[in-house]
Amino acid sequence: MADRCFSLALMVLAVALGGAAWQLDVPFQYEPVGPKAIPLILAVLLLGTALWLAIRPDRLKEAYGRSLFVRHVVVVLCLLVYAWSFELLGFVLSTWLVGTLFARLFGLDWGRALVYSAALGGVGHLVMSGLLELNVPVGTVFGG
Amino acid sequence: MDVLSTLASGFAVALTPMNLGLVLAGCFFGTLMGALPGIGPINGIAILLPLAYSMGLEPASAIILLAGVYYGAEYGGRISSILLNVPGDAGAIMTTLDGHPMAKRGEGGRALALSAVSSFAGSMGALILLVIFTPLLTRLAVTFGPAEFVALMVFALCCLASMVGSRPVKTVIGALIGLAMATVGVDSGTGVLRFTFGLTSLFDGIDFLVVVIGMFAISEILLLVEHHYGGGGRLEKVSKSFVKAADLVQVRWTVLRSTLVGFVIGVLPGTGASVASAVAYGTEKRMAGENNEFGNGDVRGLAAPEAANNSAAVGSMVPMLTLGIPGSGTTAILLGALLLFDVTPGPLLFSQKPDIAWGLIASMFVGNIALLVMNLPLVGIFVRMLSVRQAYLVPVIVMLTFVGIYSIHGASFDLFFMILLGVFGFLLRKLGFSLAPVILGLVLGEVLEDNLRRALSISAGDWGILFNNGVTLTLWTLSAMVLVLPLVMKRRRALRQKQAAAEA
């Protein structure tokens, strides 16, 4: 069932890819193959293989429970919060915040999670920004 | 003689203090990454690649570091296989079969030491083969034109479809997704924007690093959640036992054969360490006949996959360096890394950038010696690392991926896009797709299209140019054979089983 749903999505994607490629027009070109040829070939192949997958799907043995889905949603939300807060709060604060959430999710108690993530943010900043001279945001709320 | 002098100049590059330090760091980090269950060489390189790029390392230094992580992880994969019965990466799956039973009966130290020596022998043997065969292949590849490269890339993709994963159709779909991703951005031939949806961040195409980190590292974090709540393996104690001379004598031919098998399989495009270790294990098991303990802690069953997977890791560098065609998912990332540093792998690499090509090869000799030295006395440290809780590990991985991606362009868009690709990669992995074809498609996509368009420009649009000489015809025939033969053999096997069942 999962394979069939996915192959349906792939077929929609293939049609969209082919449709968009068909509309790629250039006023003039110096070569016989334009920008649309390869995407069109790929769209046709993708449509064909997705159709094949829909006809002969795999029987997936793994069960995917609701509790696992909730945990995955939490992980994705944490990652989105990190991405959103990375520039806004800066590296140290956002790492502290999201590091704590991840440490909690993987079984650390609140106290240890807070201390560990604070250390990770601080040491990480020293290493990444100071030692390796990488572009690490200070945070727009701090004028960075 | 010529090869030896160029190799000597490679050692001059590899033994500079900076590069030597990077080899050692890469090997240590790689062993650690390989030892941690589920992380493996691809994720290790994926996490380090943006950091290496942002740190402004010289191309030779960066590739030396990343290659160190690669073969270090092939070494490290065996530690959790033996002690936890959980393979560190796909290439170490076969090591669990005999390594873990040895650890269970109190011979963990012997198993770890023997596997380290076998890994070393496999790598060194393959490196010698690489030094011999690379110049020969380079000389052949220099004669390749665009049409030959198109046929070669199709061959690489066909090899991938028939050898990676359990379902060829899923492998093909993965490669097509990667190839489609490669078409995003400004078309180099006409300047037309393709599939950018008006987003200026996509004008330069989908960033290779964002795809690699998203699909491998972010999806890995989602998988780690599953492993965490699903329960982990029990760590076996490492005994004081050590490898004996008798063991080494017993496995000498096994190691030699497995090194050859691993190298040949590694050189074939699309296959990798996992296929090599499985084939080497199967070969040794068959050759052992009745007199074997395979599956219950036979030293040959431990030595064979370890020699083969390390040999394959080296072998997969050959097509990457000489033809610009990656031999495995991990070398696809290394190939992408070279392109990031404006270095184009291929036949001209050895004449135009010998410091990079030979520096990398020489660094692999140095790295393998370092790994053996590191792995015999320091194995206790890596073992202790296995017991580090994921609660401490995951925040570090998340932090490294975010800093790595952000420091490339300083744009939050890349972070959000990385998460999106991570969720997509996770979905693909849950549905039984291998991610290596996606990366291979992404890396080969632009080169394939460029060569196809160049070939058709030369022939004024005549597609016959793709089939007009012996090299292209051979490659097309091999592609067809690679696709058709497994299907024919599968059908024949099924038919034979049916007949046997009917007779019974």
Side-chain angles (χ1 to χ4, degrees), chain B residues 159-183:
Chain B
C159 283
L160 191 79
S162 64
M163 292 179 192
V164 176
S166 55
R167 286 289 306 271
V169 71
K170 287 193 170 177
T171 310
V172 174
I173 289 174
L176 288 172
I177 290 170
L179 288 166
M181 278 183 183
T183 61

Side-chain angles (χ1 to χ4, degrees), chain A residues 3 6 26 31-33 35 52 56 58 62 68 71-72 79 87 91 105-107 116 128 134-135, chain B residues 51 54 167 170 187 192 194 222 226 228-229 389 392 396 400 403 406 412 419 426 430 453 456-457:
Chain A
D3 264 0
F6 186 70
V26 276
E31 41 155 348
V33 180
W52 182 259
R56 298 188 65 181
D58 279 348
E62 271 184 76
L68 208 52
R71 286 194 182 105
H72 281 145
L79 291 169
E87 278 186 337
F91 171 79
L105 193 68
F106 281 88
Y116 175 67
M128 299 293 163
L134 294 176
N135 178 14
Chain B
L51 292 179
S54 308
R167 286 289 306 271
K170 287 193 170 177
D187 171 42
V192 169
R194 295 194 294 191
L222 290 163
E226 277 188 57
H228 177 74
Y229 289 98
R389 288 179 65 176
Y392 295 113
V396 177
L400 287 174
V403 172
Y406 186 81
S412 291
I419 297 168
F426 172 72
K430 290 302 290 179
R453 287 165 76 164
L456 290 171
S457 291

Side-chain angles (χ1 to χ4, degrees), chain A residues 6-62:
Chain A
F6 186 70
S7 55
L8 193 68
L10 277 178
M11 281 189 261
V12 172
L13 180 79
V15 171
L17 181 73
W22 192 256
Q23 289 167 18
L24 286 173
D25 279 317
V26 276
F28 54 86
Q29 61 189 46
Y30 302 103
E31 41 155 348
V33 180
K36 64 165 77 171
I38 292 286
L40 277 175
I41 294 170
L42 292 177
V44 171
L45 289 174
L46 194 59
L47 190 67
T49 46
L51 198 65
W52 182 259
L53 188 65
I55 295 167
R56 298 188 65 181
D58 279 348
R59 257 176 260 144
L60 299 173
K61 289 171 206 143
E62 271 184 76

Side-chain angles (χ1 to χ4, degrees), chain B residues 32-34 36-44 47 87-89 220 224 393 397:
Chain B
L32 199 59
M33 281 288 172
L36 294 168
I39 295 190
I42 288 194
N43 295 306
I47 290 168
D89 64 279
E220 192 64 48
L224 283 174
L393 195 67
I397 296 174

Side-chain angles (χ1 to χ4, degrees), chain B residues 265-286:
Chain B
I265 291 177
V267 170
L268 287 175
T271 55
S274 48
V275 178
S277 58
V279 172
Y281 186 88
T283 308
E284 288 308 312
K285 194 175 174 182
R286 264 196 304 277

Side-chain angles (χ1 to χ4, degrees), chain B residues 5-334:
Chain B
S5 65
T6 44
L7 184 62
S9 66
F11 273 104
V13 175
L15 291 174
T16 59
M18 169 80 165
N19 290 342
L20 191 60
L22 288 171
V23 169
L24 296 178
C27 289
F28 183 82
F29 187 75
T31 308
L32 199 59
M33 281 288 172
L36 294 168
I39 295 190
I42 288 194
N43 295 306
I45 294 176
I47 290 168
L48 263 195
L49 178 53
L51 292 179
Y53 183 64
S54 308
M55 278 157 62
L57 290 175
E58 288 288 314
S61 303
I63 201 73
I64 282 172
L65 170 71
L66 297 171
V69 175
Y70 179 23
Y71 49 82
E74 293 296 346
Y75 256 76
R78 73 198 211 288
I79 299 176
S80 58
S81 292
I82 292 168
L83 299 181
L84 278 175
N85 202 24
V86 178
D89 64 279
I93 291 170
M94 303 312 285
T95 310
T96 58
L97 300 179
D98 286 277
H100 190 62
M102 283 177 79
K104 268 171 80 176
R105 62 176 186 232
E107 294 178 337
R110 183 181 170 213
L112 284 170
L114 179 65
S115 58
V117 175
S118 305
S119 299
F120 173 77
S123 294
M124 282 306 206
L127 272 170
I128 292 166
L129 292 172
L130 181 139
V131 170
I132 295 168
F133 284 108
T134 297
L136 298 176
L137 206 56
T138 306
R139 240 168 276 157
L140 173 74
V142 171
T143 62
F144 277 27
E148 286 81 5
F149 269 110
V150 170
L152 186 67
M153 278 173 224
V154 172
F155 173 61
L157 292 167
C158 290
C159 283
L160 191 79
S162 64
M163 292 179 192
V164 176
S166 55
R167 286 289 306 271
V169 71
K170 287 193 170 177
T171 310
V172 174
I173 289 174
L176 288 172
I177 290 170
L179 288 166
M181 278 183 183
T183 61
V184 174
V186 179
D187 171 42
S188 56
T190 56
V192 169
L193 288 174
R194 295 194 294 191
F195 320 119
T196 56
F197 308 103
L199 294 167
T200 48
S201 303
L202 291 179
F203 282 12
D204 284 339
I206 297 179
D207 201 302
F208 170 75
L209 287 173
V210 178
V211 179
V212 170
I213 289 271
M215 290 206 135
F216 287 98
I218 298 296
S219 69
E220 192 64 48
I221 292 164
L222 290 163
L223 284 177
L224 283 174
V225 175
E226 277 188 57
H227 295 159
H228 177 74
Y229 289 98
R234 196 170 64 86
L235 191 69
E236 298 291 341
K237 280 194 178 137
V238 181
S239 60
K240 292 274 182 221
S241 59
F242 202 71
V243 64
K244 298 175 210 140
D247 290 337
L248 297 178
V249 171
Q250 194 186 349
V251 300
R252 65 192 189 285
W253 298 119
T254 296
V255 167
L256 192 66
R257 276 192 296 268
S258 304
T259 301
L260 285 171
V261 166
F263 184 79
V264 172
I265 291 177
V267 170
L268 287 175
T271 55
S274 48
V275 178
S277 58
V279 172
Y281 186 88
T283 308
E284 288 308 312
K285 194 175 174 182
R286 264 196 304 277
M287 290 193 76
E290 295 294 305
N291 179 28
N292 75 77
E293 285 273 307
F294 276 71
N296 297 313
D298 194 303
V299 285
R300 290 166 295 179
L302 175 64
E306 276 309 307
N309 69 23
N310 285 277
S311 176
V314 176
S316 65
M317 295 275 190
V318 176
M320 183 197 86
L321 290 171
T322 56
L323 304 169
I325 304 278
S328 64
T330 317
T331 43
I333 297 180
L334 284 177

